[in-house]
């Protein structure tokens, strides 16, 4: 059933559409802001925490990886991280920062969201794998939160949209 709306043109071509059309267009924006801010914060928090970027000691990435090694789904991935815990810590922190900034700016949004999903997946398979019940671990829901942004990108209020509009107009 159509409910009196034309389906052969977009809401912007119809002259705006109703509130449901606006809500649908902006539906991913809160998710983008939440994930972007969260990942920027997580990256900066790790980079500014002097204890985290160490091989050992309270709060260090090395001790955290050693603590989860035997309970993780992929101990080989933890072993790889344990070859250079500070390097792994910097890689995760800089990856989170790049993902967060990319998603907030809407620059290469699908690629940034894929990076966020992969970071969340790797953390779920290592750090939060042993959470029981599984929904107590936050990395799995984060992974699935990235999926809509991988699929849809950032069609509004983004550098991706601005670049796309310029290309379509031939001004790029």
């Amino acid at each position: 059933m159509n409910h009196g709306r034309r389906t052969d043109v977009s809401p912007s071509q119809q002259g705006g559409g109703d509130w449901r059309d606006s809500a649908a267009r902006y539906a991913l924006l809160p998710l983008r802001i939440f994930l972007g801010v969260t990942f920027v914060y997580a990256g900066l928090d790790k980079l500014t925490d002097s204890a985290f970027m160490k091989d050992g000691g309270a709060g260090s990435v090395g001790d955290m990886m050693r603590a989860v090694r035997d309970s993780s789904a992929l101990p080989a991935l933890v072993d790889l991280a344990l070859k250079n815990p500070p390097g792994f810590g910097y890689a995760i922190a800089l990856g989170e920062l790049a993902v967060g900034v990319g998603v907030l700016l809407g620059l290469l949004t699908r690629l940034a969201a894929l990076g966020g999903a992969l970071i969340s997946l790797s953390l779920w398979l290592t750090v939060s794998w042993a959470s029981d019940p599984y929904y107590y671990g936050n990395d799995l829901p984060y992974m699935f939160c990235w999926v809509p942004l991988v699929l849809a990108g950032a069609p509004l209020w983004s550098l991706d949209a601005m670049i796309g509009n310029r290309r379509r107009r031939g001004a790029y």
Side-chain angles (χ1 to χ4, degrees):
M1 180 171 228
N2 184 330
H3 297 293
R5 290 189 305 198
R6 289 183 58 188
T7 58
D8 60 332
V9 293
S10 72
S12 62
Q13 292 169 319
Q14 294 179 30
D18 64 6
W19 68 270
R20 289 173 292 198
D21 294 328
S22 292
R25 282 194 306 275
Y26 291 95
L28 292 179
L29 195 56
L31 187 61
R32 248 180 76 201
I33 292 167
F34 170 75
L35 289 172
V37 167
T38 300
F39 268 56
V40 165
Y41 179 80
L44 290 175
D45 187 46
K46 288 174 181 68
L47 289 171
T48 58
D49 183 353
S50 60
F52 183 78
M53 294 298 179
K54 293 188 177 172
D55 187 35
S60 71
V61 66
D63 278 4
M64 180 182 65
M65 298 281 42
R66 281 186 279 282
V68 301
R69 192 226 177 264
D70 293 334
S71 63
S72 74
L74 297 175
L77 188 59
V78 177
D79 289 340
L80 183 64
L82 284 171
K83 289 184 180 194
N84 184 357
F88 175 74
Y90 280 109
I92 289 292
L94 293 173
E96 288 172 337
L97 192 57
V99 163
V101 169
V103 168
L104 283 174
L105 295 177
L107 181 62
L108 301 172
T109 308
R110 286 187 169 110
L111 182 61
L114 180 61
L118 291 174
I119 289 170
S120 297
L121 175 64
S122 68
L123 292 174
W124 175 57
L125 291 172
T126 55
V127 177
S128 63
W129 179 258
S131 296
D132 186 32
Y134 74 92
Y135 51 82
Y136 280 174
N138 63 354
D139 296 310
L140 184 61
Y142 274 103
M143 183 185 72
F144 283 104
C145 285
W146 286 110
V147 173
L149 295 176
V150 170
L151 297 174
L156 294 172
W157 292 1
S158 68
L159 291 174
D160 290 342
M162 186 178 75
I163 292 166
N165 288 336
R166 284 188 177 181
R167 283 187 182 156
R168 279 189 290 282
R169 287 189 311 229
Y172 194 75

